[in-house]
């Protein structure tokens, strides 16, 4: 019994000492700014140590393709997210709220000559940056005809802040020695695994109408450029017989334009089954309302498009799936536009 009381007494003494030390720490931190700075430095050191375990070095097959992909995304979102592992590069344009999202899926083997990557997140790296700054930096290297070599990407630290270093060397001359190098740095923000976990690609749903629109893109883009100055939202309707209609209205005018002869594409989400039989009348229209400026900005990618597929589910869905010229169809960009009741 005495032993038990003795143990309890010792525990009480230890708890009192702990509370005393905690109180002293609070007083010291409140009185001495130097202690606060020391604490901040310790936290910063911990972050630096974690980022020091990250490695990224890569050599691009073609800088033009990556530049065009991010350039197309920059019309929609000023900030983009790169998520890269040894197999796939995802470039994502997303903001909080119900806005258009852009999800790009690129195969590493199609985009890079070499790639070395290392991180504590199962050798995946996720970071965000300004899409405009990245495109501007990449334009410095669009001079293959002037003897520039392959563009290299590297994760670096400057003043304990992360940057993406872009560089390119002159191709060696007759002497075999490169004469100069060009460097550009793009500031980035590293995203932890738990920060990215909340970012989810929208779930796909069955589309009522699926059409190839790439052969009509120039005229559709020109029309949408005018429509965005007439009204804030446009009405899109289409059917599987190859008819597309886009209309806009305001208090003074109502305008509709139609295209015919578009080619129907398969909705692979449903038609991959051998037993699938379409129950929809090919002449029946599916329609949605979308933001006029967002639609125009999506269509501005038309110069880089190999194929663009429009997917509509009546009243609920408008997606564009884009394959990029110079890449196989596994590489694609999906635009998820927000739909409205009116």
């Amino acid at each position: 019994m005495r032993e038990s009381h003795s143990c309890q007494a010792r525990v009480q003494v230890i708890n009192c000492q702990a509370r005393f030390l905690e109180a002293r720490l609070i007083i010291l931190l409140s009185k001495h700014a130097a202690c606060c700075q020391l604490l901040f430095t310790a936290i910063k050191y911990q972050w630096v140590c974690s980022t020091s375990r990250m490695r990224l070095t890569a050599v691009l097959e073609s800088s033009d393709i990556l530049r065009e992909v991010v350039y197309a995304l920059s019309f929609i979102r000023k900030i983009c997210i790169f998520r890269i592992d040894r197999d796939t590069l995802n470039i994502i344009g997303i903001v909080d709220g119900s806005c258009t999202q852009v999800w790009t899926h690129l195969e590493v083997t199609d985009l890079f000559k070499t790639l070395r990557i290392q991180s504590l997140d199962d050798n995946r790296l996720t970071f965000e940056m300004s899409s405009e700054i990245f495109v501007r930096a990449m334009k410095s290297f669009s001079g293959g005809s002037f003897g520039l070599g392959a563009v290299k990407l590297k994760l670096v630290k400057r003043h304990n802040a992360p940057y993406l270093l872009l560089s390119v060397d002159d191709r060696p001359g007759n002497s075999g020695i490169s004469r100069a190098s060009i460097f550009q740095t793009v500031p980035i923000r590293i995203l932890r695994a738990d920060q990215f976990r909340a970012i989810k690609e929208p779930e796909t749903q069955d589309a009522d109408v699926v059409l190839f629109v790439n052969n009509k893109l120039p005229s559709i883009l020109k029309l949408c450029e005018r429509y965005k100055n007439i009204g804030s939202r446009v009405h899109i309707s289409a059917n599987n017989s190859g008819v597309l209609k886009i209309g806009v209205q305001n208090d003074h005018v109502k305008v509709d334009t139609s295209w015919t002869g578009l080619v129907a594409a398969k909705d692979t989400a449903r038609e991959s089954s051998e037993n699938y039989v379409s129950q929809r009348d090919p002449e029946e229209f599916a329609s949605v309302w979308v933001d006029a400026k967002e639609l125009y900005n999506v269509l501005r990618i038309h110069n880089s498009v190999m194929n663009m597929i429009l997917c509509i589910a009546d009243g609920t869905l408008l997606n564009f799936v884009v394959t990029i010229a110079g890449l196989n169809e596994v590489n694609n960009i999906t635009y998820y536009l927000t739909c409205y009741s009116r």
Side-chain angles (χ1 to χ4, degrees):
M1 182 68 70
R2 289 180 183 175
E3 223 175 290
S4 174
H5 285 303
S6 177
C7 288
Q8 290 178 0
R10 282 199 296 271
V11 169
Q12 289 176 353
V13 169
I14 291 170
N15 287 338
C16 289
Q17 289 175 338
R19 286 195 293 270
F20 177 74
L21 289 173
E22 184 180 358
R24 280 191 59 111
L25 180 60
I26 292 171
I27 293 169
L28 285 171
L29 288 175
S30 64
K31 286 188 174 182
H32 301 286
C35 290
C36 294
Q37 183 63 36
L38 184 62
L39 181 61
F40 172 77
T41 304
I43 295 171
K44 188 175 180 181
Y45 175 76
Q46 184 180 13
W47 178 85
V48 170
C49 288
S50 65
T51 56
S52 65
R53 300 182 185 183
M54 299 178 182
R55 300 282 188 275
L56 173 64
T57 57
V59 179
L60 287 168
E61 284 280 3
S62 170
S63 61
D64 293 338
I65 291 176
L66 186 57
R67 185 187 70 245
E68 286 300 317
V69 168
V70 180
Y71 180 62
L73 186 147
S74 69
F75 298 133
I76 305 294
R77 296 289 166 258
K78 302 306 179 186
I79 300 295
C80 64
I81 297 173
F82 272 47
R83 183 167 175 80
I84 185 170
D85 58 32
R86 289 170 178 169
D87 300 315
T88 308
L89 169 62
N90 296 126
I91 306 175
I92 305 163
I94 183 173
V95 294
D96 294 334
S98 56
C99 298
T100 297
Q101 296 187 27
V102 187
W103 287 75
T104 302
H105 302 272
L106 302 172
E107 295 291 309
V108 162
T109 53
D110 292 332
L111 200 62
F112 298 101
K113 291 181 179 178
T114 62
L115 173 69
R116 292 182 180 179
I117 187 169
Q118 175 188 337
S119 79
L120 297 177
D121 182 21
D122 196 21
N123 293 323
R124 280 189 296 263
L125 278 177
T126 308
F127 54 88
E128 66 178 18
M129 63 184 172
S130 164
S131 49
E132 292 180 333
I133 293 176
F134 180 80
V135 169
R136 193 159 57 242
M138 290 292 283
K139 282 183 178 180
S140 305
F141 310 132
S142 58
S145 58
F146 298 98
L148 294 177
V151 176
K152 303 171 186 176
L153 309 180
K154 187 176 182 180
L155 180 65
V156 298
K157 283 190 298 186
R158 299 281 174 86
H159 308 292
N160 288 329
Y163 287 83
L164 189 64
L165 175 67
L166 315 177
S167 65
V168 65
D169 299 326
D170 271 350
R171 291 195 179 102
N174 295 332
S175 62
I177 300 174
S178 295
R179 296 181 295 278
S181 297
I182 302 173
F183 295 93
Q184 297 284 354
T185 54
V186 179
I188 63 175
R189 184 171 78 93
I190 301 292
L191 299 181
R192 300 188 310 271
D194 60 306
Q195 291 175 310
F196 184 79
R197 202 171 293 125
I199 301 174
K200 302 290 185 183
E201 184 170 4
E203 294 184 2
T204 57
Q205 65 182 87
D206 292 342
D208 297 317
V209 176
V210 184
L211 295 175
F212 285 103
V213 296
N214 37 290
N215 60 336
K216 305 290 186 181
L217 268 180
S219 61
I220 296 174
L221 176 67
K222 189 174 181 179
L223 178 85
C224 289
E225 186 176 13
R226 295 202 304 269
Y227 277 8
K228 68 183 176 64
N229 297 318
I230 297 175
S232 60
R233 292 175 183 171
V234 295
H235 183 256
I236 299 180
S237 59
N239 65 21
N240 286 315
S241 291
V243 180
L244 171 67
K245 298 179 180 180
I246 302 179
V248 67
Q249 66 183 69
N250 58 29
D251 294 337
H252 306 288
V253 66
K254 180 179 179 180
V255 186
D256 289 285
T257 305
S258 62
W259 293 263
T260 59
L262 282 79
V263 178
K266 288 185 177 182
D267 180 2
T268 54
R270 288 189 296 175
E271 299 184 30
S272 57
S273 170
E274 294 181 359
N275 299 321
Y276 171 76
V277 178
S278 175
Q279 302 297 320
R280 189 176 182 85
D281 182 352
E283 301 296 328
E284 184 181 356
F285 282 87
S287 62
V288 291
W289 287 88
V290 296
D291 185 276
K293 290 182 179 179
E294 295 274 277
L295 177 62
Y296 170 70
N297 285 331
V298 167
L299 298 175
R300 290 174 72 179
I301 195 178
H302 71 102
N303 286 329
S304 304
V305 165
M306 179 170 65
N307 282 316
M308 177 177 268
I309 299 174
L310 172 147
C311 307
I312 299 181
D314 192 42
T316 60
L317 169 77
L318 178 63
N319 293 347
F320 287 94
V321 181
V322 176
T323 53
I324 304 298
L327 295 175
N328 64 48
E329 293 184 0
V330 177
N331 304 276
N332 60 73
I333 307 172
T334 303
Y335 294 86
Y336 299 91
L337 279 80
T338 300
C339 298
Y340 302 92
S341 57
R342 178 62 187 272

